[in-house]
Amino acid sequence: MSATFTSPLAEALAEPLLERFLRYVRVDTRARRDTGVTPSSPGQRVLGVMLAEELRGLGADDVELDANGYVTAKLPTSSATTGATTVIGLIAHLDTSPDAPGAGVEPIVHRAYDGGVIELPTGATRLDPATMPELATKAGHDVITASGDTLLGADDKAGIAAIMAAVAHLRAHPELPRPGLAIAFTPDEEIGHGASLLDIERFGASCAYTIDGSEIGELQDETFSAVEVLMTITGVDVHPGFAKDKLVNALRLASRVIAALPADALAPEVTSGREGFIHPYAMEGSAARAQLRLIVRDFDDALLDAHVALLEAVAHGIVDDEPRATLDIQVREQYRNMRLYLAESPRVVEAAAQAMRAEGIEPRREPIRGGTDGSQLSGRGLPTPNIFDGGHEYHSVREWASLQEMAAAAATLVHLCEIWSTQ
Ligand SMILES: [Zn+2]
């Protein structure tokens, strides 16, 4: 066995997994904001059709691609399973981030990476281990990148490939005991819709795992609690030549709201660890009407509410001073910290930790400064922690993945099945 692999099982899974991964990343599944339809981009359905076909080819039952682009399938227990009644879910998302180009991905496999700077052929994109501490530890790995002008899409096609590789292995080895498996590939996770239309009852699992983390060993049972705020300020627009004492400029008011928010605290650029933030990420409009979009995040629900209250107070303090202007604030809940829900079924996270140890990996339990499909699913009654998938530098043209870590994720899933087969 090559020393870079975590086990002979991971090494055996690696090449078939890579073949799948390279196919999946070539499909442009970049999510689009504000289309009002699911999936938000046609490529997600193209990948869905491909995966449904492959799942049928692997002998999965009840394979379905529904009207919203969700791919679901079941894999029954094997003949070697005695008495297991649990069904566990394996979930990954089809879409890629809208924040980087996603069309025409041309993956490059850098076999036995030498540990130096990787220069990509286009876009003057370089991956420098001096500024990428995780890459610096991957000398000897087979590193996969895009070509420099697109993201790679390991987020989350590494998760999809790991699930498919594990399912193919389990099908080929009926002598391995396994629980019933429910598989879901979901659209539009990156724009906050992932799994919202997954019918949990029909899915039929008593717990699930998203394969959507990054560095090997990541096991995440805690995410942000998250809301989105849409603020609309209406002013009074008048021809600027005749505007004296009449014009009320909505854009100026919106700019003052942003300027009045804390800048040396409670902003993503100055916070880390368990600190929350208020983040204005889009402003558009005219003198007549301005719209401000913000996200608010914290690990603690009471603090999250306090940040929203602060934001509302700041905005009202500025806009209410101008009686001719109006202010409308819409607060939309996105997801809640999954910790509260997972604490009720500690066995779910414990089984994942045990599966990683069986693969020789020490689990790293760190809160995610973000959300996963599992944040929402856990809140809806399906406890769903998150497992690493070996991809890195997500949402950027520098995105890369380690084949050894992707294979370790697939091997971890095989162990996870063995552990649940006796529950
Ligand atoms: Zn993801």
Side-chain angles (χ1 to χ4, degrees):
M1 180 183 87
S2 155
T4 52
F5 284 99
T6 42
S7 70
L9 172 62
E11 186 166 25
L13 292 170
E15 289 308 315
L17 186 157
L18 178 63
E19 183 273 323
R20 288 180 190 280
F21 179 72
L22 296 178
R23 256 181 315 111
Y24 304 157
V25 299
R26 284 192 166 92
V27 184
D28 174 9
T29 62
R30 187 181 182 194
R32 292 190 197 137
R33 291 193 175 95
D34 298 325
T35 60
V37 293
T38 308
S40 67
S41 57
Q44 297 183 59
R45 185 173 291 282
V46 172
L47 181 57
V49 169
M50 188 189 276
L51 291 168
E53 204 124 295
E54 292 180 18
L55 283 164
R56 282 190 197 101
L58 289 173
D61 293 339
D62 302 334
V63 180
E64 205 179 274
L65 170 62
D66 77 8
N68 296 309
Y70 286 66
V71 179
T72 49
K74 299 255 161 70
L75 196 68
T77 56
S78 70
S79 52
T81 316
T82 46
T85 50
T86 315
V87 174
I88 68 163
L90 299 177
I91 300 173
H93 63 90
L94 296 160
D95 61 314
T96 58
S97 168
D99 298 331
V105 173
E106 273 302 325
I108 301 172
V109 183
H110 309 260
R111 292 283 179 186
Y113 165 55
D114 64 6
V117 173
I118 300 177
E119 306 267 4
L120 297 181
T122 50
T125 303
R126 345 173 47 234
L127 279 65
D128 187 346
T131 56
M132 297 171 146
E134 288 167 342
L135 181 61
T137 64
K138 302 301 182 287
H141 285 219
D142 301 309
V143 168
I144 305 133
T145 65
S147 292
D149 52 357
T150 66
L151 47 64
L152 173 62
D155 178 10
D156 187 19
K157 289 160 186 168
I160 295 177
I163 292 173
M164 294 296 283
V167 168
H169 181 80
L170 290 167
R171 278 296 297 184
H173 293 275
E175 76 280 10
L176 297 177
R178 60 173 191 250
L181 290 181
I183 296 145
F185 299 129
T186 62
D188 292 329
E189 190 267 356
E190 299 289 1
I191 53 172
H193 295 301
S196 58
L197 299 173
L198 182 70
D199 183 336
I200 291 180
E201 202 124 309
R202 277 197 71 194
F203 190 55
S206 50
C207 66
Y209 299 86
T210 51
I211 323 304
D212 193 18
S214 183
E215 175 76 6
I216 189 165
E218 279 181 8
L219 170 55
Q220 292 150 333
D221 56 359
E222 198 172 348
T223 58
F224 272 144
S225 284
V227 301
E228 184 172 33
V229 178
L230 174 62
M231 209 175 266
T232 307
I233 299 171
T234 312
V236 179
D237 197 14
V238 180
H239 185 295
F242 312 98
K244 186 160 192 301
D245 300 328
K246 293 182 191 137
L247 175 76
V248 179
N249 190 329
L251 280 174
R252 281 190 190 275
L253 289 170
S255 311
R256 283 176 55 201
V257 170
I258 295 180
L261 291 172
D264 53 1
L266 273 187
E269 55 271 41
V270 294
T271 48
S272 62
R274 289 187 169 273
E275 299 165 318
F277 58 72
I278 300 170
H279 175 50
Y281 71 89
M283 180 164 91
E284 57 187 355
S286 61
R289 186 169 177 272
Q291 276 200 323
L292 201 51
R293 289 170 194 270
L294 307 97
I295 54 171
V296 185
R297 301 286 189 258
D298 208 289
F299 289 98
D300 181 297
D301 287 355
L303 287 174
L304 182 78
D305 293 345
H307 304 331
V308 173
L310 170 69
L311 174 60
E312 289 176 328
V314 165
H316 276 292
I318 287 163
V319 181
D320 293 356
D321 253 4
E322 172 47 78
R324 294 167 297 169
T326 62
L327 172 63
D328 177 70
I329 300 177
Q330 311 269 351
V331 179
R332 184 174 75 89
E333 177 163 331
Q334 293 178 297
Y335 53 84
R336 291 273 154 188
N337 189 343
M338 61 166 76
R339 179 185 51 181
L340 289 175
Y341 310 107
L342 289 179
E344 291 165 18
S345 10
R347 183 77 200 101
V348 177
V349 177
E350 199 30 60
Q354 212 179 322
M356 286 185 196
R357 290 196 190 98
E359 186 55 23
I361 302 163
E362 193 43 42
R364 298 151 40 135
R365 305 261 289 262
E366 281 158 20
I368 325 178
R369 290 177 65 78
T372 64
D373 275 346
S375 328
Q376 205 195 62
L377 291 171
S378 299
R380 285 167 61 203
L382 181 66
T384 308
N386 189 38
I387 291 177
F388 73 92
D389 66 17
H392 298 266
E393 298 277 328
Y394 287 165
H395 305 189
S396 85
V397 294
R398 294 174 308 282
E399 189 184 2
W400 59 275
S402 152
L403 177 57
Q404 278 72 2
E405 291 187 351
M406 289 196 285
T412 296
L413 296 182
V414 172
H415 299 309
L416 187 65
C417 287
E418 196 184 335
I419 288 162
W420 277 111
S421 71
T422 58
Q423 303 293 310

